[in-house]
Amino acid sequence: AVEFTEGYYGSNTTAADRTFFVNGGLDPWHVLSVQRDLPQWGDVRSVVIDGTSHCRQMSPSSPDDPKQITQAREKVAKAISEWLA
């Protein structure tokens, strides 16, 4: 099914530059997303957050957040800062 979906929709590639893909490791859709940095396509970055579900990192920050959520948010914030500099 993954092979069909990638073929039908154009694989898990992008023509966009300065794009960040954030995936939850428990999100069933993460297998259809970009799951690694792809510098050959421009500045395309990715993070898979182990033990989290779809859009978990979009919740407001909390002192109780798991370490992997905090680290993912920091990685995204760093990328955005670089892009805006």
Side-chain angles (χ1 to χ4, degrees):
V2 171
E3 200 171 300
F4 168 79
T5 303
E6 287 180 350
Y8 185 81
Y9 290 104
S11 189
N12 61 349
T13 62
T14 179
D17 192 24
R18 296 182 178 182
T19 305
F20 208 115
F21 292 87
V22 180
N23 300 286
L26 300 177
D27 181 0
W29 293 104
H30 84 277
V31 296
L32 298 174
S33 182
V34 174
Q35 297 178 47
R36 64 188 186 289
D37 293 349
L38 299 170
Q40 68 271 26
W41 294 345
D43 199 348
V44 176
R45 304 183 197 190
S46 176
V47 63
V48 177
I49 310 169
D50 291 330
T52 63
S53 59
H54 188 73
C55 295
R56 170 59 176 88
Q57 79 287 349
M58 296 176 73
S59 301
S61 295
S62 164
D64 299 325
D65 284 338
K67 180 175 73 172
Q68 64 268 29
I69 294 287
T70 304
Q71 290 172 336
R73 287 182 180 138
E74 289 170 355
K75 189 174 179 182
V76 172
K78 182 179 182 223
I80 292 171
S81 293
E82 290 172 10
W83 294 338
L84 293 175

